[in-house]
């Protein structure tokens, strides 16, 4: 299962974090800093999966934005790696442009909605882009109308 | 479209976020945030009631501040208020705040529950989804109690919207995990399985996650899911991708769902139904075939998605471990990936292959890739990939390739990353021990380890080499010679000094015959390292010196001088000073006999799990060993493999966890005096001066030793495995299985003997109704009397119990008595029978005689029936010192200068029985060239000659 999803900029600042397993609030910051250090220090030709304590990190870089997913042993790494890409494509589709850490900050609530449509409770629930965006599109229509 | 925020943007929030982003320093950011917090607090406390929009804006700001890493201690109430809003965005922010910031024991839960209840009843799918998300995310007990009953019915109701079904499935999964008692299996379970047939793939995806989790807990309740999952998988795999519309990702049909279905199938053994089984095989073959087809897109996303499914299919194939063709195809596919340009694929292929290596069907196929893997070790640029290569080499190692793999690992070690050196050292040490055909190779390998990576050789590793050398007398002479040579290097690692000190202290006598390694040379060599070593090593060396005094009386004076010097007697370190004082006194006061008793050779260590293996497991943690994920395997019941399977997979994860606090061998720092008291008390003589003997009380943390593969657990067959090892020895471990270890200590005097039997309970559980008695064949009963003292019927977990056997030899005998042990462990009756090493030669008394006497008696015993001769091939390396030690151990006196040929050994002794005494002469002639021995025995009684010849000839 998925333990957490982090979106981090190149300076190592967390832009979004979602935990699917309870981690005490005061331990989150330390965990995030450590995880980020672990991924940011890696080079392009290194593999995208990192053993970290008793679980694994799967990370993917988009320009200045890093997306890091913590998964247990029972998860398929490549499928998570592509899930990240699917997530990014959904964000791109919704915001009509390439996603950046700024866009995430300004639309935190919506990014959360999107993530919640895709992953619940540490498991993938939906991968179909238009269905992921259905609730948001509905709301936007209401607001515009 | 607004660039800052979509929909009903909150201007105040956007401004605040911009401010934060523009902050030049952390201080400025904190200042800005504190200002905002004060502002929000005053708004919340203000008299004016806030409208929904403002509440949402401020709660959203708090959320943002929280995500920046600041603690938020207010605003919860306002967030809860938002739940009752009718506007989706306000409700959503409320739920988001709660699921991110409220922990499960908050006192607000009741209020939140109220909000959730209203939304569940609203029949508005978006509101219901928010409520279900919230239950799934917070998942507290109180919430579970409130809604556990409702959710299954929402999930399986016919009129529920698809998206709500998805949320309900995941919500149920959470409740099942946190409060399983509140979600009992019931009528809904059958209907949940049928969700796998749902038209909507999103629902199938969510349901598969739920069913997988439930099936892991109670596989029987969800067996019907196998056929549905296979059917669904087959439809996806064989479909033209257009059928699945939006669930196709870069030309790959529903990759995530496929992965999940394959994982669900890994909860079960291969389907029993033949048709179903062949349909599944077809699916797996199709997936393997697709990997060979030209890609439909050049995008990496396409190949990644395709390979995600492929890897999961291979996992399933390995899990089933029943279709040799599929296993070999999987192995070939992974072999291709080993040379792929994508690092990710190489990494995953190495990892998957590790598990393939443990299947008897594919072990050989995996081995064909050895060169590629070795190459990966040398050329991969990513340390985590190299680490996988090491794991794979370790997993594919067997008797046929152990030398090559160990050599490659050793040479890699010279340049290996610091982060993985220690692990490689452990692996090399384990492989060298496990696959050692002759132990000289093992000794060489470990000494090489110390040379190449001394700093990373942990205590466990060098403790282990000493345990093995002490327990295997065929390697002691070689070990002494090798460490002696290794110590010649001008700079050698301190670990080598430790091993050298210990081994020369015990077995230096075996090489002392050579003038190049005479006692004085050995001592000077060791002492030349003394000043460069740390305190614990110096302490060890001092103990080696006192052992030297016992072994070599001729260097006594030299060593006493060293001990007497100010740098020892007045050493600032109290431990060293104490050792020097006590050893010096001991050497001055004690008579040779006492000295010989106190400083007797170390008794064999109880054979137990290699401490190195334990350490490796500790390092890797449960389930992290490359060998096998036990959870995955044991469902299909085919965990038993040929001997190729690594020993490690015999340990279930729970055992591994037990292992975590493994008792480490004691560091060599406890004071000799205390130690003496301790060892005396435990009936060990004061032999453990080097503190190496780890306590024989074996807790629950002990597992099967790497050697003990052969010991037959709990069978009534009489175990004779170690019998012949006791011919020339009196002490050691005679039997060991997972539960029990039996050690012996024996003393013989003329025709009487006494054996102390030690029963060690290796588990953490009591042995009940324990009994142990000795049985003899009818013939033996008249030749040998054995009296047994009764033993306590209960052995506590981890405890050791002693039983005393008194033996009287009436006349010469061939058979051996059997020790029968019975006890209850965890309800099951265990029966063990062990052949007791009571042999005729135990009743030898050595006789010294001159050359003239010897040949005179030799001639007297010239009758044909009095002589027995045997010519046989050497089973161990032919070493003079070892042979001498064995003849002495056999019980006769070794007569020097009797035989005209100095290479021959002659011995004499008298066998004492109650009725008579039988004189015995023996002669052993080695032929180095032919690697043969000729053994001749002459005694006054034919049966005695026969029996002694049988016993002794097996020892060389």
């Amino acid at each position: 299962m998925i333990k957490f999803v982090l979106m981090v900029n190149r300076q190592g600042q967390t832009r979004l974090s979602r935990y699917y397993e309870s981690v005490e609030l005061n331990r989150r910051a330390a965990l995030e800093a450590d995880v980020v250090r672990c991924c940011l220090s890696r080079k392009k030709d290194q593999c995208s999966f990192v053993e970290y304590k008793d679980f694994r990190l799967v990370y993917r870089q988009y320009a200045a934005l890093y997306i890091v997913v913590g998964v247990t042993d029972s998860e398929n790494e490549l499928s998570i790696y592509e899930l990240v890409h699917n997530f990014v494509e959904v964000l791109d589709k919704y915001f009509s442009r390439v996603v950046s850490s700024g866009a995430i900050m300004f639309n935190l609530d919506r990014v959360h909605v999107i993530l919640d449509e895709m992953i619940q409770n540490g498991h993938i629930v939906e991968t179909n882009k238009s269905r992921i965006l259905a609730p948001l599109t509905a709301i936007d229509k209401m607001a515009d109308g | 479209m607004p660039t800052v925020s979509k929909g009903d943007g909150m201007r105040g929030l956007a401004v605040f976020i911009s401010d934060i982003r523009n902050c030049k320093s952390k201080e400025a950011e904190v200042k800005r945030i504190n200002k905002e917090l004060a502002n929000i607090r005053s708004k919340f406390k203000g008299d004016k009631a806030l409208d929904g929009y403002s509440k949402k804006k401020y709660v959203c700001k708090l959320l943002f501040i929280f995500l920046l890493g600041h603690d938020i201690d207010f605003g919860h109430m306002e967030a809860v208020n938002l739940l009752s809003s009718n506007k989706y965005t306000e409700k959503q922010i409320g739920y988001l705040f709660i699921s991110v910031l409220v922990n499960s024991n908050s006192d607000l839960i009741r209020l939140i529950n109220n909000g959730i209840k209203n939304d569940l009843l609203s029949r508005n799918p978006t509101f219901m989804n928010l409520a279900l998300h919230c239950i799934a995310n917070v998942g507290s007990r109180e919430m579970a109690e409130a809604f556990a009953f409702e959710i299954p019915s929402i999930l399986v109701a016919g009129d529920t919207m698809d998206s709500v079904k998805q949320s309900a499935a995941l919500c149920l999964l959470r409740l099942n995990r946190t409060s399983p008692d509140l979600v009992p299996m019931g009528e809904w379970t059958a209907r949940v399985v049928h969700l796998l047939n749902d038209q909507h793939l999103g629902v199938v995806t969510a349901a598969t996650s739920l069913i997988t989790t439930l099936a892991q807990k109670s596989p029987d309740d969800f067996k019907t899911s196998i056929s549905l999952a296979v059917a669904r998988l087959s439809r996806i795999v064989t479909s033209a991708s257009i059928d699945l519309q939006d669930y196709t990702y870069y030309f790959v049909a529903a990759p995530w769902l496929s992965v999940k279905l394959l994982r669900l199938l890994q909860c079960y053994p291969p389907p029993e139904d033949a048709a179903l089984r062949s349909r599944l095989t077809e699916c797996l073959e199709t997936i393997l075939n697709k990997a060979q087809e030209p890609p439909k897109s050049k995008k990496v996303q396409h190949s990644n998605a395709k390979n995600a499914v492929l890897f999961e299919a291979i996992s399933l194939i390995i899990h089933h471990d029943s279709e040799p063709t599929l296993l070999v195809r999987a192995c070939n596919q992974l072999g291709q990936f080993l040379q792929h340009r994508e690092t990710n694929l190489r990494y995953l292929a190495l990892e998957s292959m590790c598990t393939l290596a443990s299947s008897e069907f594919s072990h050989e196929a995996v081995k064909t890739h050895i060169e590629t893997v070795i190459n990966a070790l040398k050329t991969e640029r990513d340390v985590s990939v190299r680490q996988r290569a090491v794991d794979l080499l370790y997993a594919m190692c067997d008797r046929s390739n152990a030398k090559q793999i160990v050599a490659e690992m050793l040479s890699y070690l010279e340049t290996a990353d610091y982060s993985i050196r220690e692990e490689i050292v452990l692996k090399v040490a384990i492989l060298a021990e496990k696959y050692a055909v002759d132990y000289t190779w093992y000794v060489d390998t470990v000494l090489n380890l110390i040379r190449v990576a001394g700093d990373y050789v942990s205590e466990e590793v060098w403790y282990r080499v000493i345990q093995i050398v002490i327990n295997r007398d065929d390697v002691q002479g070689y070990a002494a010679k090798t460490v002696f040579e290794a110590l010649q290097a001008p700079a050698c690692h301190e670990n080598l000094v430790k091993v050298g000190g210990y081994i020369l202290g015990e077995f230096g006598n075996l090489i002392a015959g050579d003038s190049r390694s005479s006692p004085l040379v050995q001592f000077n060599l060791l002492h030349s390292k003394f000043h460069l070593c740390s305190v614990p090593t110096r302490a060890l060396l001092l103990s080696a010196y006192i052992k030297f005094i016992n072994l070599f009386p001729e260097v006594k004076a030299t060593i006493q001088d060293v001990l007497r010097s100010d740098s020892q007697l007045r050493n600032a370190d109290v431990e060293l000073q104490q050792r020097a004082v006590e050893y010096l006194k001991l050497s001055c006061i004690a008579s040779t006999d006492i000295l010989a008793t106190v400083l007797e050779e170390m008794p064999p260590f109880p054979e137990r799990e290699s401490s190195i293996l334990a350490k490796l497991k500790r390092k890797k943690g449960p389930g992290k060993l490359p060998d096998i994920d036990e959870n995955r395997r044991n469902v299909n019941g085919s965990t038993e493999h040929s001997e190729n399977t690594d020993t490690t997979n015999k340990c279930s994860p729970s055992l591994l966890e037990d292992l975590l606090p493994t008792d480490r061998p004691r560091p060599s720092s406890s004071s000799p005096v205390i130690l003496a008291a301790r060892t005396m008390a435990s009936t060990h003589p004061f032999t453990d001066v080097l503190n190496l003997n780890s306590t024989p009380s074996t807790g629950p943390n002990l597992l099967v030793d790497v050697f003990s593969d052969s010991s037959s657990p709990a069978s009534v067959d009489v175990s004779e495995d170690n019998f012949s090892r006791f011919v020339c020895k009196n002490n050691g471990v005679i039997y060991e299985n997972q539960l029990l270890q039996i050690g012996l200590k024996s003393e013989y005097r003329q025709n009487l003997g006494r054996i102390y039997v030690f029963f060690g309970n290796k588990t953490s559980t009591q042995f009940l109704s324990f009994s142990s008695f000795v049985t003899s064949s009818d013939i033996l009963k008249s030749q040998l009397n054995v009296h047994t003292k009764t033993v306590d019927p209960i052995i506590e977990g981890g405890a050791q119990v002693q039983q005393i056997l008194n033996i009287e030899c009436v006349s010469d005998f061939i058979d051996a008595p059997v020790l029968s042990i019975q006890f209850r462990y965890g309800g099951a009756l265990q029966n063990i029978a062990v052949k007791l090493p009571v042999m005729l030669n135990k009743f030898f008394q050595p006789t010294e005689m001159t050359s003239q006497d010897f040949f005179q008696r030799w001639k007297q015993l010239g009758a044909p029936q009095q002589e027995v001769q045997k010519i046989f091939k050497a089973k161990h390396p032919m070493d003079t010192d070892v042979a001498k030690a064995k003849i002495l151990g056999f019980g006769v006196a070794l007569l020097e200068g009797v035989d005209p040929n100095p290479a021959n050994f002659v011995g004499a002794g008298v066998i004492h029985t109650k009725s008579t005494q039988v004189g015995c002469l023996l002669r052993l002639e080695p032929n180095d060239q032919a690697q043969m021995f000729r053994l001749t025995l002459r005694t006054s009684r034919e049966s005695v000659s026969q029996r002694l010849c049988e016993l002794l000839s097996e020892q060389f």
Side-chain angles (χ1 to χ4, degrees):
Chain A
M1 79 172 268
I2 300 169
K3 289 175 160 252
F4 57 79
V5 177
L6 293 181
M7 297 176 92
V8 189
N9 67 12
R10 204 181 300 215
Q11 287 74 45
Q13 292 164 302
T14 308
R15 286 306 173 226
L16 176 140
S17 66
R18 195 81 167 104
Y19 288 84
Y20 300 103
E21 230 183 33
S22 68
V23 175
E24 281 171 47
L25 298 185
N26 51 12
R27 287 182 47 216
R28 291 187 186 184
L31 175 79
E32 284 165 22
D34 202 30
V35 161
V36 166
R37 200 174 325 117
C38 208
C39 295
L40 258 57
S41 63
R42 294 173 66 85
K43 296 191 197 79
K44 273 245 160 81
D45 61 352
Q46 294 193 301
C47 84
S48 319
F49 319 123
V50 189
E51 299 247 344
Y52 180 82
K53 297 191 178 156
D54 60 340
F55 56 99
R56 279 184 185 191
L57 306 174
V58 175
Y59 71 96
R60 207 159 170 162
Q61 186 188 355
Y62 293 91
L65 179 71
Y66 285 81
I67 300 180
V68 187
V69 186
V71 294
T72 59
D73 255 2
S74 61
E75 212 48 76
N76 180 308
E77 289 89 350
L78 273 181
S79 86
I80 297 296
Y81 188 69
E82 285 311 314
L83 182 73
V84 169
H85 190 71
N86 200 29
F87 174 52
V88 170
E89 285 188 346
V90 174
L91 295 179
D92 287 353
K93 188 173 171 189
Y94 181 68
F95 295 112
S96 315
R97 64 200 165 99
V98 175
V99 72
S100 69
S101 62
I104 294 166
M105 282 176 88
F106 286 114
N107 296 283
L108 207 54
D109 51 336
R110 273 141 213 278
V111 178
H112 265 287
V113 173
I114 291 172
L115 195 57
D116 281 355
E117 289 297 322
M118 294 183 74
I119 303 173
Q120 274 176 37
N121 199 4
H123 293 273
I124 305 170
V125 266
E126 187 57 82
T127 58
N128 173 333
K129 293 193 181 70
S130 35
R131 283 186 46 86
I132 293 168
L133 290 177
L136 280 182
T137 340
I139 294 155
D140 289 344
K141 271 204 189 113
M142 283 194 295
D144 292 346
Chain B
M1 186 172 297
T3 47
V4 176
S5 174
K6 251 183 112 123
D8 55 344
M10 292 170 279
R11 234 187 73 74
L13 178 64
V15 169
F16 172 59
I17 293 174
S18 294
D19 283 358
I20 295 287
R21 293 192 76 196
N22 292 333
C23 281
K24 292 279 182 288
S25 66
K26 191 79 196 168
E27 289 74 31
E29 186 185 304
V30 171
K31 211 172 148 195
R32 178 69 185 84
I33 284 170
N34 284 338
K35 185 178 155 204
E36 193 62 40
L37 284 175
N39 174 38
I40 299 171
R41 214 182 293 258
S42 72
K43 294 282 184 206
F44 283 167
K45 282 199 178 143
D47 305 331
K48 215 172 75 185
L50 294 171
D51 59 1
Y53 169 79
S54 314
K55 261 190 222 161
K56 179 183 98 172
K57 184 175 75 181
Y58 293 128
V59 169
C60 206
K61 278 185 182 175
L62 288 178
L63 198 56
F64 182 80
I65 293 170
F66 172 74
L67 288 170
L68 287 175
H70 300 265
D71 207 7
I72 299 296
D73 54 3
F74 66 102
H76 299 73
M77 203 56 207
E78 285 72 15
V80 174
N81 285 341
L82 283 175
L83 296 190
S84 51
S85 164
N86 273 328
K87 285 194 174 148
Y88 175 83
T89 49
E90 291 171 14
K91 205 185 264 295
Q92 186 247 331
I93 291 290
Y95 274 122
L96 184 60
F97 185 94
I98 288 163
S99 62
V100 171
L101 262 146
V102 174
N103 54 22
S104 45
N105 45 20
S106 162
D107 40 0
L108 289 173
I109 292 286
R110 209 167 309 157
L111 287 171
I112 298 171
N113 276 358
N114 218 12
I116 292 176
K117 191 167 214 155
N118 290 334
D119 284 331
L120 284 184
L121 292 173
S122 71
R123 307 196 59 78
N124 173 334
T126 21
F127 289 1
M128 285 174 86
N129 275 339
L130 284 176
L132 288 167
H133 283 196
C134 183
I135 301 174
N137 282 321
V138 177
S140 73
R141 183 79 195 168
E142 221 176 325
M143 254 183 204
E145 277 166 359
F147 303 108
F149 186 70
E150 256 162 278
I151 290 162
S153 46
I154 294 178
L155 176 60
V156 294
D159 57 347
T160 308
M161 297 271 294
D162 291 334
S163 63
V164 178
K165 275 189 195 163
Q166 286 171 273
S167 303
L170 270 302
C171 183
L172 198 54
L173 198 164
R174 169 64 181 237
L175 295 185
N176 181 274
R177 190 175 302 149
T178 53
S179 322
D181 53 315
L182 294 178
V183 232
M185 301 292 165
E187 180 254 350
W188 59 274
T189 45
R191 296 174 67 184
V192 164
V193 172
H194 282 279
L195 289 176
L196 290 176
N197 258 339
D198 202 286
Q199 286 190 323
H200 192 285
L201 287 194
V203 174
V204 183
T205 309
T208 314
S209 293
L210 174 64
I211 295 167
T212 307
T213 310
L214 296 176
Q216 278 163 354
K217 280 192 177 168
S218 43
D220 288 343
D221 291 334
F222 292 89
K223 260 192 177 145
T224 44
S225 66
I226 305 174
S227 61
L228 292 173
V230 172
R232 179 54 93 172
L233 182 69
S234 157
R235 264 179 284 159
I236 296 172
V237 171
T238 54
S239 75
S241 43
I242 16 165
D243 299 356
L244 302 163
Q245 293 159 355
D246 282 348
Y247 286 90
T248 299
Y249 178 81
Y250 288 90
F251 304 103
V252 181
W256 292 284
L257 179 54
S258 307
V259 166
K260 274 179 186 281
L261 289 167
L262 287 162
R263 186 143 298 257
L264 169 59
L265 290 170
Q266 286 173 57
C267 298
Y268 292 98
E272 281 156 22
D273 176 66
L276 191 59
R277 195 168 168 150
S278 75
R279 196 168 180 194
L280 176 59
T281 308
E282 225 169 89
C283 283
L284 296 171
E285 276 171 348
T286 314
I287 295 172
L288 285 166
N289 291 341
K290 280 188 179 171
Q292 298 299 331
E293 287 168 11
K296 291 185 182 140
S297 155
K298 285 210 170 95
K299 286 260 169 65
V300 67
Q301 283 80 2
H302 170 70
S303 62
N304 277 344
K306 202 162 92 172
N307 291 330
V309 179
L310 178 61
F311 274 110
E312 206 56 55
I314 292 177
S315 290
L316 180 61
I317 293 170
I318 298 172
H319 167 78
H320 283 170
D321 197 16
S322 62
E323 299 273 351
T325 14
L326 286 179
L327 282 159
V328 170
R329 280 195 67 185
C331 182
N332 294 340
Q333 182 60 55
L334 293 176
Q336 285 182 18
F337 284 153
L338 286 183
Q339 293 174 337
H340 202 279
R341 63 190 155 76
E342 283 273 324
T343 315
N344 287 347
L345 285 184
R346 296 197 303 277
Y347 175 89
L348 293 173
L350 286 166
E351 187 179 63
S352 269
M353 239 188 206
C354 258
T355 41
L356 263 183
S358 55
S359 159
E360 56 180 315
F361 299 118
S362 49
H363 183 79
E364 289 302 316
V366 170
K367 275 166 65 185
T368 59
H369 298 286
I370 184 168
E371 298 302 334
T372 320
V373 182
I374 287 173
N375 196 40
L377 196 59
K378 290 175 176 161
T379 56
E380 280 293 347
R381 293 167 66 187
D382 182 350
V383 55
S384 36
V385 183
R386 290 196 295 272
Q387 163 99 58
R388 289 286 154 270
V390 172
D391 288 346
L392 178 53
L393 284 178
Y394 179 75
M396 67 162 73
C397 190
D398 63 19
R399 225 166 270 290
S400 71
N401 55 20
K403 286 211 168 161
Q404 185 189 6
I405 286 178
V406 165
E408 289 297 344
M409 282 191 176
L410 264 174
S411 81
Y412 171 59
L413 195 53
E414 308 216 19
T415 53
D417 312 75
Y418 296 114
S419 55
I420 58 175
R421 277 194 187 182
E422 188 181 355
E423 197 186 312
I424 297 176
V425 168
L426 294 175
K427 287 188 162 149
V428 169
I430 289 168
L431 292 178
E433 177 182 335
K434 191 164 171 215
Y435 297 114
V437 180
D438 66 299
Y439 277 82
T440 55
W441 173 67
Y442 169 74
V443 170
D444 285 341
T445 305
V446 175
L447 290 183
N448 259 331
L449 273 182
I450 296 177
R451 186 179 55 78
V452 173
D455 286 343
Y456 298 89
V457 173
S458 54
E459 281 177 348
E460 284 86 349
V461 173
W462 73 263
Y463 282 9
R464 187 68 184 161
V465 69
I466 285 171
Q467 286 179 4
I468 285 177
V469 169
I470 289 195
N471 289 13
R472 313 228 142 211
D473 34 24
D474 50 325
V475 78
Q476 289 161 356
Y478 181 82
K481 194 163 137 248
T482 317
V483 289
F484 176 78
E485 278 160 12
L487 282 170
Q488 304 286 341
C492 47
H493 195 273
E494 190 163 335
N495 279 336
L496 180 67
V497 179
K498 289 178 183 159
V499 175
Y502 200 109
I503 288 184
L504 292 180
E506 293 291 329
F507 308 113
N509 55 327
L510 298 181
I511 55 167
D514 190 326
S515 62
R516 285 164 299 180
S517 53
S518 71
L520 191 61
V521 175
Q522 286 185 38
F523 171 72
N524 285 337
L525 181 62
L526 280 182
H527 198 53
S528 69
K529 316 283 180 196
F530 187 90
H531 307 278
L532 306 169
C533 292
S534 62
V535 168
T537 309
R538 289 186 188 192
L540 187 151
L541 285 177
L542 288 179
S543 302
Y545 296 169
I546 185 73
K547 288 226 155 191
F548 268 25
I549 291 186
N550 173 45
L551 289 178
F552 314 119
E554 63 265 45
V555 293
K556 183 173 175 178
T558 319
I559 293 176
Q560 282 177 333
D561 283 346
V562 169
L563 292 176
R564 204 177 283 127
S565 72
D566 275 358
S567 60
Q568 307 294 359
L569 278 191
R570 301 191 177 179
N571 195 298
D573 184 274
V574 67
E575 171 71 28
L576 293 181
Q577 190 185 84
Q578 185 171 4
R579 284 192 188 214
V581 170
E582 289 177 5
Y583 291 161
L584 181 61
K585 263 284 179 267
L586 181 67
S587 71
C588 297
I589 297 170
S591 71
T592 350
D593 280 351
I594 292 179
L595 213 52
T597 316
V598 173
L599 300 169
E600 192 192 346
E601 184 181 311
M602 283 291 291
F605 288 87
E607 289 199 348
R608 45 191 283 180
E609 186 193 24
S610 153
S611 46
I612 311 175
L613 205 53
K615 165 133 182 174
L616 184 66
K617 282 173 196 154
R618 214 161 41 225
K619 232 177 126 56
K620 293 294 253 186
K624 282 293 175 76
L625 273 177
D627 303 288
I628 269 186
D629 181 350
E630 190 76 11
N631 275 335
R632 272 208 206 167
R633 298 204 78 103
N634 55 17
V635 268
N636 87 27
S638 62
T639 338
E640 289 303 316
H641 290 296
S642 63
E643 51 159 11
N644 291 337
T645 331
D646 225 306
T647 38
T648 37
N649 61 22
K650 293 211 180 98
C651 342
S652 68
S654 64
L655 270 174
L656 285 173
E657 274 152 22
D658 284 346
L659 194 81
L660 297 184
T662 301
D663 56 345
R664 302 163 66 90
R666 295 195 302 272
S668 47
S669 60
S670 45
S671 143
V673 170
I674 299 169
L675 192 72
R678 187 158 60 213
T679 43
M680 289 298 191
S682 64
T683 74
H684 279 291
F686 179 35
T687 41
D688 196 8
V689 278
L690 303 198
N691 302 351
L692 249 163
N693 195 5
S694 39
T695 40
S697 73
T698 49
N701 35 25
L702 288 185
L703 295 177
V704 197
D705 188 273
V706 271
F707 293 131
S708 62
D709 289 13
S710 53
S711 65
S712 51
S715 83
V716 269
D717 295 336
V718 178
S719 159
E720 306 184 12
D721 297 344
N722 292 328
F723 182 80
S724 66
R725 290 186 48 211
F726 281 79
V727 170
C728 299
K729 276 187 159 216
N730 285 334
N731 306 332
V733 173
I734 182 78
Y735 179 84
E736 177 156 23
N737 68 11
Q738 283 96 328
L739 309 175
L740 177 72
Q741 184 194 59
I742 306 175
L744 298 182
K745 230 176 124 52
S746 1
E747 301 162 356
Y748 292 91
R749 216 184 132 84
Q750 304 208 325
N751 71 325
L752 300 176
R754 174 173 287 176
I755 300 182
Y756 301 89
V757 187
F758 297 93
F759 299 100
N761 179 348
K762 292 167 61 175
T763 71
S764 51
T765 320
Q766 278 184 339
F767 290 165
L768 297 172
S769 330
F770 188 93
S771 72
S772 154
F773 51 93
V774 175
T775 52
S776 306
S777 63
D778 290 338
I779 309 171
L780 188 63
K781 273 180 191 153
S782 62
Q783 300 165 332
L784 197 73
N785 289 326
V786 183
H787 296 282
T788 325
K789 299 208 170 151
T790 51
V791 59
D792 201 29
I794 293 175
I795 304 186
E796 298 293 337
Q800 201 183 48
V801 165
Q802 175 189 303
Q803 184 178 31
I804 298 176
L805 312 177
N806 287 318
I807 298 164
E808 182 188 31
C809 177
V810 180
S811 64
D812 69 277
F813 61 97
I814 294 173
D815 230 350
V818 171
L819 186 67
S820 301
I821 296 125
Q822 216 179 48
F823 59 93
R824 283 191 178 277
Y825 168 72
L829 192 63
Q830 308 282 331
N831 278 306
I832 297 169
V834 183
K835 199 164 162 184
L836 271 179
V838 181
M839 307 92 168
L840 186 56
N841 66 296
K842 297 292 175 198
F843 302 95
F844 252 129
Q845 288 289 118
T847 320
E848 293 288 346
M849 57 180 80
T850 63
S851 177
Q852 197 189 355
D853 285 346
F854 183 85
F855 284 108
Q856 194 184 351
R857 293 192 195 189
W858 185 262
K859 280 185 197 123
Q860 281 167 2
L861 295 169
Q865 69 274 21
Q866 289 172 326
E867 181 187 281
V868 176
Q869 189 171 72
K870 192 169 175 184
I871 297 171
F872 54 92
K873 199 140 184 72
K875 276 182 290 193
H876 304 289
M878 293 175 71
D879 185 303
T880 312
D881 295 317
V882 173
K884 278 185 186 164
K886 281 181 177 165
I887 292 172
L888 285 172
F890 195 60
V892 294
L894 190 64
L895 306 178
E896 304 273 2
V898 168
D899 200 292
N901 179 350
N904 293 346
F905 308 96
V906 292
V910 177
I911 297 273
H912 289 256
T913 70
K914 193 179 177 189
S915 50
T916 157
Q917 296 186 359
V918 183
C920 168
L921 303 176
L922 71 83
R923 186 178 196 202
L924 180 71
E925 297 158 277
N927 179 341
D928 283 337
Q929 257 177 337
Q931 290 286 300
M932 307 276 279
F933 282 105
R934 179 162 70 185
L935 176 66
T936 316
L937 271 140
R938 288 187 180 187
T939 74
S940 50
R941 194 179 282 236
E942 187 183 359
S943 56
V944 173
S945 306
Q946 284 287 0
R947 179 61 181 154
L948 290 178
C949 181
E950 271 167 38
L951 286 169
L952 188 58
S953 62
E954 289 302 309
Q955 298 298 314
F956 293 94

